[in-house]
Amino acid sequence: MDKEEERILQVTKQFKHKVPRNFHAATSVVPAVVAPHPGMSYNPAYADHQALLWKVHVAEVEKLRREESLRRKLDAHFPLDQPRADTWLAEMSEGLESINATVAQPSNEDEGDEQPEGVRLTKRAAPKRRAQRKKEKMLLKEERQRKKQSSHRKKEADLNQIPALQKSLRRRQKALEERKSVRLERKLQQEPFRVRRLGPVPFVPPDQDFALSEQLTGCLRTTRPEGELLTDRIKSLQMRNMMEPRTRHAKKRAKGARWAEKRGVREMPDSYLPK
């Protein structure tokens, strides 16, 4: 025990707590105060302000695209105009009248072609001669031999293609390894700037503050402030992985205590109750 720990033990009556090694390590390389966009100035240049407006436009279009995709996948499959009790029977019986009419009126197209019951017309095949059977047997043998030769040639062709296939596989494997190394390098480069998942609530990036062209006054005194300082600081802590994202929970009112008199107590006489 060194002198510092002994002094702390004498004064506080407690041992010095050991700080983890990564306690003072930076959780992210994102600066505490990010430089704002040049177009957010109270008197910005025209190109900078247009670039800021275009950035906000692209973000809004992407948000609308996600909302439309979600609506198309969920709301479009469950429309609000569900059948009511007074229209349910009419909708469920739609088309039954035409089906009943079709069943009641059978078609008479094949009435003339019907054969009387118990009559079966068959055509007796002529017996084959020995020469015909021999010729068919020879043709079947030639066909089998031809298929066997074709299969053999196909196997030889497949064997000849093995070197080309191996070369193609090696080329593809090399391309996959290069793409994997590029993705890994990009991931390592983005790792210091990545916002980690620290809790059950995901991180939502803040919206970009901006002002329209007609809202620019060119004077700092008459400029309307945009954004909120406390929200900006909280988002900065979340982006630097120093605080987990949180949501505001609604306060639940506690139900009032209910007073109930038990039956056994209610049936007791007043003289039994303690005074």
Side-chain angles (χ1 to χ4, degrees), residues 40 208-212 215 223-229 232:
M40 297 175 61
Q208 179 68 50
D209 298 331
F210 69 98
L212 300 176
Q215 295 176 350
T223 300
R224 189 183 66 178
E226 296 287 344
E228 189 177 352
L229 182 60
D232 180 73

Side-chain angles (χ1 to χ4, degrees), residues 111-201:
E111 290 182 357
D113 300 337
E114 293 182 358
Q115 298 292 339
E117 297 182 1
V119 179
R120 184 178 181 185
L121 300 178
T122 57
K123 187 176 180 181
R124 186 176 181 182
K128 296 181 181 181
R129 297 181 181 180
R130 182 180 300 177
Q132 291 179 350
R133 291 196 296 269
K134 187 176 181 180
K135 186 177 181 180
E136 290 179 359
K137 193 173 183 180
M138 187 183 303
L139 293 175
L140 183 60
K141 185 177 181 181
E142 291 178 357
E143 181 68 21
R144 291 177 179 175
Q145 189 70 17
R146 186 163 54 252
K147 287 184 178 180
K148 186 176 181 180
Q149 293 177 0
S150 176
S151 176
H152 185 67
R153 287 194 300 268
K154 186 177 180 180
K155 290 181 180 179
E156 289 182 353
D158 292 342
L159 290 176
N160 295 332
Q161 290 181 358
I162 289 179
L165 293 175
Q166 290 179 348
K167 185 177 180 181
S168 177
L169 289 175
R170 286 194 297 268
R171 191 186 307 113
R172 178 174 176 81
Q173 186 68 19
K174 184 178 180 181
L176 291 177
E177 290 178 358
E178 291 178 356
R179 289 172 55 185
K180 183 179 180 180
S181 61
V182 170
R183 287 198 305 268
L184 182 60
E185 183 179 359
R186 188 185 300 116
K187 183 178 180 180
L188 292 177
Q189 292 177 358
Q190 297 176 356
E191 181 65 22
F193 301 92
R194 186 173 65 88
V195 181
R196 298 183 179 90
R197 185 72 176 261
L198 303 179
V201 181

Side-chain angles (χ1 to χ4, degrees), residues 56-122:
V56 174
H57 170 73
V58 171
E60 189 66 20
V61 168
E62 180 65 20
K63 185 186 299 183
L64 293 177
R65 187 192 65 80
R66 289 197 299 268
E67 292 178 358
E68 178 63 21
S69 176
L70 190 63
R71 187 201 66 78
R72 187 172 61 254
K73 294 177 181 178
L74 297 179
D75 297 344
H77 294 282
F78 305 97
L80 298 178
D81 52 346
Q82 298 290 340
R84 301 188 302 272
D86 53 347
T87 62
W88 182 86
L89 182 60
E91 292 186 9
M92 293 296 104
S93 59
E94 187 71 24
L96 293 179
E97 297 179 0
S98 59
I99 295 175
N100 295 333
T102 306
V103 173
Q105 299 177 1
S107 59
N108 300 327
E109 297 178 356
D110 302 333
E111 290 182 357
D113 300 337
E114 293 182 358
Q115 298 292 339
E117 297 182 1
V119 179
R120 184 178 181 185
L121 300 178
T122 57

Side-chain angles (χ1 to χ4, degrees), residues 27-28 194-196 198 237-243:
T27 57
S28 177
R194 186 173 65 88
V195 181
R196 298 183 179 90
L198 303 179
L237 292 174
Q238 294 176 359
M239 289 178 62
R240 289 182 288 155
N241 304 316
M242 300 178 67
M243 186 178 74

